[in-house]
Structure formats: structure tokens, C-alpha cells
Amino acid sequence: MLLRMIGALVDISGRRPWLVIALALLSMAGLWGYASRLELRTELRELLPSDSPAFQAYERQAQRVDGGAQLIVIAESPDRGANERFIDALAEQLNEPLRKRAACAAACGDDACRAACGPPALIRYVESGTKEVRSFFDANKWLYASVRELEAADEAIELELALRSGLIEDLEASGAPGGDAGAAGTPAPAQKGLSLDETWQELQRRLKKIDEFPSGYFATPDGRMVALRIVSRSAGMGDRRAAELLDQVTALVSRLDPAAFHPAMQVGYAGDIPNAIAEQKSLVSEAVWATAIALVLIVGGVMIYYRSPWSLVVILLPTALGASAGYAFATLTYGYVNTVGAFLGAIIVGNGVNYPIVLLSRYRDFRARGMPADEARREAVINAFRAELVGASVAAIAYGSLTITHFRGFSQFGTIGFVGMFMVWASIVPLVPATLVAIERIQARLPRWLRDPAPRVSDEGTAGPGARALARVTSRWPLAFLAVAPVIVALAAWKLPAYIRDPWEYNFARLGSKSSREKGAGSWSLKASEVFGGKMNVAGAMMLADTPEQVPAIKAQILANDAKDPQGQLVADVATIADALPGTAEEQQRKIEILERIRDRLTPRVLKALSPEERERVLSMKPPETLRVIGPKDLPDLIRRRFEENNGVVGTVFYVKYKNNVSFSNGRNLLRMADTTGNVVLPDGTHVVTASRPTVFAEMIRSMERDGPLATAASLLAVTAVVVLATGSIAGALAVLLALVLGVLATATAMAALDVKINFLNFIALPITFGIGCEYPFNVFDRARLLGGDVSLALKRSAGPVALCSYTTVLGYGSLVFADNQALNSFGWVAVSGELACVACALLFLPALLHVMNRSARMRRSWKGGLLLRGSNHS
């Protein structure tokens, strides 16, 4: 009944070809139109499971601090003054709209009025230097001395004043052993600065350490580069707001015309935002190029193989329909695609054309042997139905196995690929027969030179010297090809055990854009490091506590966790708001009391007794009367804002500062950072969920390690089940699966031998290879089944289409080999290797194995017993 239904659908498509094609084109136009709204999100956090604790914590943190990603603008020229003037002008232009909106909001009395002031700016604040910080610390430097230092200074002044007044005698100066003789009761010579010098010099040293930019600008010592730092409302992981901000700043810089400040001035951009956007642009451009290159090479290969430009319509129409359905489904379900799904178009094109290729090849084969067109269409579909169904099933399994994982980088890719490949398969039965009829009717009205040449086959019904050569060598020397299997197994036993213990790529520097490190954002980031060079006390991975009161305990716990790390300590310090304050309120009050005593001792009479030079010096060091207790809100903006949430709460934000030699490109370090700082449990049992960029990356590694093996195992098990059911015999299933596993095993061994580490992109190649790679050995086996076990004839008739299917799939992956993005590049190499290994096993190892197995009567009976769907006599 199923075969009758399929035959009837083929006949209907042949009678109404233009209606079928029109419906397909209308559907495709609607699907592509709907899919045009699909958004590309390249933030790495979009790859994480939505229920991941690290992801959820990071999302909550992003809402509380509203981004915080940095955009650093660097002006570089030989003239310090020109660089400073440009930075001043840029800061003024950036701050003007912020001031206007703030003034508008301040004048409002309700939320509706404030909303009318406009949406929040993309910029949280702008920093052009440290002048405000220097002024603040200069005015309050006495509070930053310790209580012990101030008490020592107070005691020294009290002693010196007593000596000066003659109330006590300096024994060292009046004849004590080792001292100089002097008149009893004579005041000692005045000591310069009334003993404040030591404390004063220590405070000046601290102030100099705090004020790491003497010019007041973020600049290199020679002034060759001056920087401006923009703190945005973006998370800095490639989101749309970050791109908008970079575009706005770039346009503003262009209007300011840096050359007007100095002819040699260059302006560049560094920080989280331009680095993430550079990676995003690299990925998007590579995905577009990959799809375009794959399409061009596929088109060329198909035309050469069939010697027909018309064949492109037959093959590409269902493929395009399937791809449009996949992306429309993504638009409906997700509304966006993530990093991994960005280049799915090239893969759907490369894999999807396999189904129409097999069907078109069967049709041309039957026509070449004299079968009428209507019968050839029907017989081709029925003859290829099992192979097409199995091919679609195993491909769907390959993609579907990714959907069972929690890692969104896998699951979204798998879902879109599953829908796309299924739609290609579902559309070939009506579309391929319809387009064949339409093309034949068009060609009937064209001159002969515009028509396709008639397909030709040899007397035995085969085409191509390559296929005949493969059939000849595999039948004559099957054991030579089977001998490859133990060699591959031996190499795998040698290389894989050590590789499997730790196959993951932990060097994140190998996953990004190669060119961005040499030019663009990467090179300017190196210059930004030269400007800041570890300066600015507040730096590191930002995290949040639930309340300010928790921060000291969290800091202590993080440092304790770090001290327990068996591999050594990573954390240099944990910067909190307390580090920027001169102590607790009680400590500051104690300091103020001591400073008041010091100030009271410096009476006009005491100052009058000093020389003019000493008097001037003491007055410059005299603690001011304006000193008061400093709270978090009193700190200068440059410091306070780093510890402040959107709602104005100060003190919940803190920063984990790592040692200078700790690499953030090392995934193992990120895992250790996450273990040290993620989800801190305080001594009282309070569980504080913390997150930072390192913990997000670490969660991605953990998710990949957990879900990768799960997807691969699911793909292999499901493919095995389909093959066993489709072959109808244990021996046949074993032959097909041995060829498939040998191809995958060869790929994995090559990865181990070449030390190709598994990353969040190339791992997809392994479960997909089980599905896509299974098509090739099953096609050869199924053709042999239909031919009653004649393996040589089956190989002669199927080798060409199988090789063409592999060629198109290799192109879909191979275009990524030349990608600038190293993760894409790695994915391309692994996928291409898997394809080549599987098709080689299908065309060499499997026929040799079937020849050997065919020598037994049991195997010959299994060819007939395994006919679940009977083929035609024209197989």
C-alpha cells in the first residue's frame, strides 16, 4: 500500500508538474520571507543551557549592573597635547547627551515623566582620566594614614613641643653617653617640620601609588597614546546594543576628524565590546562565505558529473526548500540562531543535495537503459525509497541526537538541521518527478544544442571507468582492503586511550579569529594594555553579593577556596568598596580625633616660633578642618561607580583580581576560577550565587564535556537501530555498521595522532558523521540487495552517485577549512576527515567485506531474506 501511494504521488506530480513547482516556489518564498526576521546572536552565553546556574546568575548580574562592558578609545600620535585635546573633545561629546537626560530625569516627579526623557543611553558613564580621584585623595590623604601612624606623629609632636618649651630635657643632647654637651634646660634645635615629615612622606608615596597617571589622563608615560574608557550597558559578549554603541562612537570619532588634531593621529578601539564584535563579524562573514563557496562548488560539481545545467534545478529546488523550512522553523521556535547555527546553511546545502542526487541518478540510469520516462520516474522513486528513507532517518538522527543535550550550542543546531534535512527528503518525491517532467517539456521546444545529452551506460548498465575500477580491485583483492581494518584498530588502541582521557580544547586562543589578534581590535587591545598596564586598582572579574554586608565574608571565603587549590593560587586579591575607604566609620572617627589634636597643637604661637621656611612647610602639612567620615557615596565617581548597582546600592559589587601570570585563554584556569569563586558558601551556611565571565566560559566547558559524549552515544545507538531494521539481516547490518565505525574510528585516530582537540564547534562533527557517513555504506549495500547480492555490479552502479553525494557534503564542510575563525576551521577539518574516511570505507572496505561474506551460502540467502521492500528488475 505504501508503494502504491508513493507511485500515485509520482504520477500526479508528473501530470501536474507546474502546479507542484509553483506551490514549492510559493512556499519557499513565504518561508524565506518569514526567516528573514531571524536574528543572529553570537554571545557565547547563548550556547549555555538556559537552566545553567552560571547562566542564570550571569543574567541576574547583568540586570543588576546593566552591562558593564568596556569600550576603550585610544588616540595615538607623537604629540601628547594633541592626544589629550582629542580625548577631551570626545569626552565632551559623549557626556553631553548623558547630562541632558540626567537633568531631564532630575526635574521629573514621576516615572512617566522620566520615561519621556528618552530611553537609557547605551553608555553608563565615560572616564577620561584620574583628575577627580587625585583631587579627592589629596584632600583626604590624612584619613588614609593608619591610626598607629597618626598616633606616632601626635606623640612625636607632643614630645618635640615639650622639648622646645623646656618642660623636659633632651638627655642625648645634654651629655648622655654618645650625646653632645649642652646647657641644661636649653631647648633643642628645632626639628624640621615638627616630626610630621615621615608621615607626610609616607602619605605622599601612597598618593603617588594611587595616582598612577600623573598627567591626569589615561596615557603612556611618553604621552604617545592617550585613552578614554566608556563603560556601557552591554554585557560585552557580542549583543546588538554593543554593536550600536561601537557604531555611534565610531561615527562621532569620524566627525571629530582626528587628523585635525594631528596629521599622524590614529584612533583605535579596544576592550570587551570591539573584541566580541570582531569575533562576531569574523564568524558571520565566514558563515556567509562558507555557504556561498559551498553552493558554487556544488553547482559546478553537479554540472560536470551529469553534463547538464538542467540537473541543477532538479537537485537545488528541494534543497533550497528544506533549508528555508529549517530557518523558518528556527524563526518560529527561537527567533534567533546562535554561533553554532550561523553556518548551518552551508551544511544543509552540502548534505541536503544527497537525496535528490540519488534519485536523479537512479532515474538517469533507468532512462539510459531504455525505460520510458513515466515508468523510470516511478521505478526510480520506488527503487531508491529504502536508501533515501534510511539516509534521511540517519541524518535526522545525527541532528536529532544533538537536541537531547542541554547545551544550546548543540540542541539548536540539531533542531534546525533535523527540520531542514527532513523537509529536503519529504519534498523530493513530488518535486524531483515534477521538475524532471517540466525540464523535458521545456527541452522539447529548444534547439538540440541546448538540450541535455542522453545519459549513457555500458552494456551491463553501468557508467564511469572509476566505478568499474573500484568494482574490479575490491573483487580481486578483498583481503588487501580488509587488512586496513586491523591496522586502524591497532593505531586506535595505541593513540586513543590517552587522547580520550583529556580530548578537550582548553586553549581559547585557538578558537577565535586569527586576524583579529594581528590587526583591528586585537592589536588595539595590546595597545590598551600598554596604556593601562595593570594600573587602576579596581580591575578583575566582576561579581555581586546579595547585600553589602556579605562582601567581607565572601572575600574571605574566596581567598580560602583559592588557598586550597592543589594546583596553586590564582587570586591576587579581592577588591571591595572597603579597599577604597580609609577604614570603617569608627576607625575614621578615631583618626579625625587624633588629627584634631595634632591641629590643636600647631597653635599660632608654635608656628610663630618656626622659621619662615619651616612655618610654610608645616602649614602645607597641617590637617585641614574639613575632614569628615567618608562613606561609599562620598568616593569619586571613577571609583564609586565600579561598586554600584543600577538602583544606587553601593558595595555589593566586588572584583576578583587574578595574578598577572594567569591566562584567561586557558580553559583549565577558567574551571579553577569557577571552582574558587562560583556559588560561594559562607561559614554560616548562606549560599551566594556568583557569576563572572570566567564562570560562564567554565560552564560552557563543563556542559560540552557532559553533553558531547551523550550526543555521540545517542547518535550511534539510533543509527544502529535504523540500519538493523532497514537491512533485514544481522549480517548485512553488521557489514554496514563495521564500515561506518571503521570510518569514524579512523577519523578519531587521526585527531588523536595530530592532537586535534575537541571544542564547542568541532564536536558536532562526530555525532553528525555517524548519521551522514552511514548513508554511503548503506547505499552500496542496498543496491547489492536489490541486485540479488551482486556486489560488483552494485558498486559499479552506485559508486558515482555515492561519490557525488560525498563530494557535495565535503564541500559543505570543506568551505569552513579556510575560515579565519579557528573554531570553524577546526570543525571543517574534522568533518571533512570524517566524510572522506566514511566514503572510503563505503567504496573500498564494505565491498571487499561483502565479497568475502558472499562466499557463504548463508549470506547469499540473507540477500533474499532481507527484502523488506522489493526492488524492480531494473535495479
Side-chain angles (χ1 to χ4, degrees):
M1 183 177 65
L2 177 62
L3 294 180
R4 286 197 300 271
M5 291 174 59
I6 294 172
L9 181 59
V10 173
D11 292 339
I12 293 172
S13 299
R15 289 194 297 270
R16 298 286 187 272
W18 296 112
L19 176 61
V20 173
I21 293 172
L23 290 174
L25 291 174
L26 287 173
S27 299
M28 193 171 7
L31 290 170
W32 279 120
Y34 181 69
S36 65
R37 295 182 287 179
L38 191 66
E39 180 185 353
L40 174 62
R41 297 183 186 175
T42 56
E43 303 99 306
L44 288 178
R45 60 181 174 171
E46 291 295 342
L47 304 179
L48 290 174
S50 56
D51 59 352
S52 159
F55 174 80
Q56 293 177 345
Y58 195 86
E59 289 291 291
R60 288 194 298 270
Q61 177 173 299
Q63 294 172 2
R64 290 172 63 185
V65 297
D66 201 8
Q70 296 182 12
L71 169 57
I72 297 173
V73 184
I74 303 173
E76 181 179 17
S77 83
D79 187 341
R80 176 194 289 271
N83 296 335
E84 292 176 354
R85 288 192 299 274
F86 173 81
I87 291 298
D88 286 340
L90 179 60
E92 178 61 29
Q93 292 287 328
L94 292 170
N95 279 316
E96 181 61 24
L98 298 180
R99 285 194 293 265
K100 287 182 178 179
R101 190 182 186 284
C104 174
C108 289
D110 53 53
D111 292 339
C113 174
R114 281 187 286 273
C117 295
L122 298 173
I123 298 173
R124 288 181 63 193
Y125 52 85
V126 178
E127 298 173 347
S128 59
T130 59
K131 298 173 184 176
E132 181 188 4
V133 174
R134 183 200 299 174
S135 177
F136 171 83
F137 281 110
D138 188 50
N140 296 280
K141 55 181 171 288
W142 280 109
L143 289 178
Y144 285 85
S146 67
V147 171
R148 182 187 57 79
E149 290 171 328
L150 294 179
E151 286 179 338
D154 182 40
E155 291 171 0
I157 293 175
E158 181 182 23
L159 175 61
E160 187 171 344
L161 291 178
L163 290 170
R164 288 174 180 270
S165 66
L167 293 177
I168 63 173
E169 180 181 355
D170 188 344
L171 298 179
E172 290 187 2
S174 62
D180 296 331
T186 303
Q191 296 183 16
K192 189 174 182 180
L194 285 175
S195 301
L196 288 177
D197 275 345
E198 185 177 342
T199 306
W200 175 265
Q201 289 169 5
E202 174 62 20
L203 290 175
Q204 291 297 101
R205 186 187 66 78
R206 292 179 191 172
L207 182 59
K208 185 177 181 180
K209 185 178 179 181
I210 293 171
D211 186 15
E212 296 168 308
F213 297 96
S215 67
Y217 291 88
F218 300 136
T220 54
D222 60 3
R224 179 175 52 87
M225 289 187 289
V226 180
L228 175 143
R229 179 156 46 191
I230 301 169
V231 178
S232 74
R233 299 187 184 278
S234 162
M237 301 185 82
D239 56 279
R240 180 175 293 178
R241 291 195 300 177
E244 291 176 4
L245 174 58
L246 183 59
D247 289 342
Q248 290 178 11
V249 174
T250 303
L252 179 55
V253 168
S254 179
R255 289 196 299 272
L256 286 175
D257 188 14
F261 292 83
H262 192 282
M265 182 176 291
Q266 292 183 322
V267 176
Y269 308 93
D272 308 320
I273 290 175
N275 283 326
I277 291 174
E279 295 289 344
Q280 174 184 331
K281 288 182 177 179
S282 170
L283 193 68
V284 172
S285 64
E286 296 301 339
V288 171
W289 276 108
T291 305
I293 292 171
L295 186 60
V296 169
L297 293 177
I298 287 170
V299 165
V302 169
M303 288 179 60
I304 293 172
Y305 180 81
Y306 290 115
R307 296 175 297 148
S308 163
W310 295 98
S311 62
L312 297 177
V313 180
V314 180
I315 288 173
L316 294 181
L317 187 59
T319 305
L321 181 60
S324 65
Y327 281 114
F329 178 82
T331 306
L332 175 65
T333 308
Y334 306 110
Y336 70 96
V337 289
N338 57 36
T339 305
V340 182
F343 55 93
L344 192 56
I347 296 174
I348 290 179
V349 170
N351 291 347
V353 297
N354 292 0
Y355 311 135
I357 282 175
V358 171
L359 191 53
L360 177 60
S361 296
R362 299 278 174 102
Y363 172 77
R364 288 172 62 89
D365 189 13
F366 292 159
R367 288 288 286 151
R369 284 184 270 156
M371 188 180 290
D374 56 345
E375 185 180 351
R377 290 192 300 272
R378 190 182 311 109
E379 288 296 321
V381 171
I382 294 174
N383 184 275
F385 182 78
R386 183 197 297 249
E388 297 279 35
L389 178 60
V390 170
S393 298
V394 293
I397 286 169
Y399 289 106
S401 65
L402 301 174
T403 65
I404 66 175
T405 68
H406 295 287
F407 187 59
R408 285 188 292 175
F410 291 168
S411 60
Q412 191 184 91
F413 179 96
T415 302
I416 300 171
F418 175 88
V419 173
M421 299 297 286
F422 178 80
M423 285 302 299
V424 174
W425 173 80
S427 66
I428 60 173
V429 172
L431 267 181
V432 171
T435 51
L436 287 172
V437 173
I439 288 171
E440 288 169 355
R441 290 180 182 177
I442 293 173
Q443 288 185 350
R445 297 190 180 99
L446 296 176
R448 182 176 296 275
W449 62 276
L450 289 178
R451 302 177 191 173
D452 280 346
R456 299 190 300 270
V457 294
S458 65
D459 294 339
E460 61 183 354
T462 65
R468 290 193 288 272
L470 286 174
R472 184 167 57 254
V473 297
T474 52
S475 63
R476 287 186 181 178
W477 304 289
L479 295 180
F481 294 99
L482 294 183
V484 175
V487 173
I488 292 176
V489 171
L491 289 173
W494 176 34
K495 289 289 185 182
L496 284 181
Y499 180 77
I500 290 174
R501 281 196 293 270
D502 190 18
W504 309 104
E505 178 60 82
Y506 293 105
N507 186 354
F508 278 28
R510 294 182 180 178
L511 303 181
S513 168
K514 290 177 287 189
S515 62
S516 70
R517 296 200 309 269
E518 301 166 2
K519 56 186 179 180
S523 63
W524 282 102
S525 291
L526 294 177
K527 294 182 178 182
S529 298
E530 187 178 347
V531 173
F532 292 98
K535 300 174 183 177
M536 299 299 295
N537 280 338
V538 180
M542 182 180 68
M543 299 184 185
L544 274 80
D546 296 331
T547 65
E549 292 72 25
Q550 288 179 336
V551 171
I554 293 175
K555 175 178 179 176
Q557 190 60 51
I558 288 176
L559 293 176
N561 293 344
D562 186 57
K564 296 176 184 176
D565 189 336
Q567 300 180 55
Q569 292 179 293
L570 294 172
V571 179
D573 192 14
V574 178
T576 70
I577 190 70
D579 299 327
L581 294 171
T584 64
E586 293 76 13
E587 291 173 337
Q588 293 185 58
Q589 188 58 50
R590 174 64 179 146
K591 293 178 185 181
I592 291 173
E593 292 171 359
I594 299 171
L595 290 169
E596 287 176 351
R597 286 205 306 268
I598 292 175
R599 191 169 52 248
D600 291 342
R601 296 188 194 283
L602 301 178
T603 62
R605 184 176 65 82
V606 170
L607 295 174
K608 185 176 180 180
L610 299 175
S611 67
E613 295 79 8
E614 289 177 331
R615 187 183 310 117
E616 183 178 355
R617 180 174 178 79
V618 170
L619 285 173
S620 68
M621 293 187 289
K622 183 179 180 181
E625 297 180 5
T626 56
L627 291 176
R628 58 185 178 85
V629 174
I630 296 172
K633 293 283 188 179
D634 301 315
L635 291 170
D637 290 345
L638 184 66
I639 294 177
R640 188 199 70 252
R641 289 182 299 210
R642 284 168 167 72
F643 299 96
E644 189 173 28
E645 294 188 46
N646 293 336
N647 59 7
V649 174
V650 180
T652 52
V653 180
F654 61 96
Y655 297 82
V656 179
K657 301 165 67 175
Y658 295 97
K659 294 182 178 180
N660 291 334
N661 61 346
V662 174
S663 171
F664 283 78
S665 297
N666 187 330
R668 291 185 176 88
N669 285 346
L670 298 181
L671 290 171
R672 292 167 59 197
M673 292 175 187
D675 290 339
T676 298
T677 65
N679 304 326
V680 177
V681 179
L682 302 181
D684 63 359
T686 303
H687 189 88
V688 182
V689 181
T690 59
S692 64
R693 291 171 68 102
T695 60
V696 169
F697 286 119
E699 183 65 20
M700 188 169 66
I701 294 172
R702 290 197 185 102
S703 182
M704 183 175 63
E705 291 176 344
R706 179 182 62 249
D707 290 342
L710 175 64
T712 304
S715 178
L716 176 59
L717 290 174
V719 164
T720 299
V722 170
V723 170
V724 169
L725 290 173
T727 54
S729 72
I730 298 300
L734 183 63
V736 172
L737 291 173
L738 279 175
L740 170 63
V741 171
L742 188 64
V744 176
L745 189 63
T747 304
T749 304
M751 292 175 65
L754 299 174
D755 197 30
V756 177
K757 296 296 186 180
I758 297 174
N759 59 53
F760 66 93
L761 280 183
N762 68 17
F763 199 98
I764 299 174
L766 296 178
I768 287 180
T769 297
F770 278 117
I772 305 301
C774 185
E775 293 183 39
Y776 310 134
F778 185 84
N779 262 288
V780 175
F781 172 84
D782 192 60
R783 201 64 181 268
R785 178 188 65 83
L786 293 171
L787 291 167
D790 191 337
V791 178
S792 293
L793 184 58
L795 188 59
K796 292 174 184 178
R797 293 186 178 179
S798 63
V802 166
L804 182 60
C805 288
S806 179
Y807 165 81
T808 59
T809 304
V810 165
L811 289 176
Y813 296 133
S815 54
L816 305 176
V817 167
F818 304 100
D820 175 63
N821 184 281
Q822 296 174 90
L824 279 179
N825 184 280
S826 173
F827 176 89
W829 279 114
V830 173
V832 166
S833 301
E835 274 293 309
L836 295 177
C838 288
V839 76
C841 288
L843 298 180
L844 295 171
F845 175 81
L846 178 64
L849 179 62
L850 293 177
H851 278 302
V852 172
M853 296 172 69
N854 243 359
R855 293 171 184 172
S856 69
R858 182 181 300 175
M859 183 63 187
R860 284 194 295 272
R861 287 194 300 271
S862 73
W863 289 114
K864 298 179 181 179
L867 296 180
L868 300 181
L869 290 174
R870 294 190 175 276
S872 69
N873 294 328
H874 305 281
S875 298

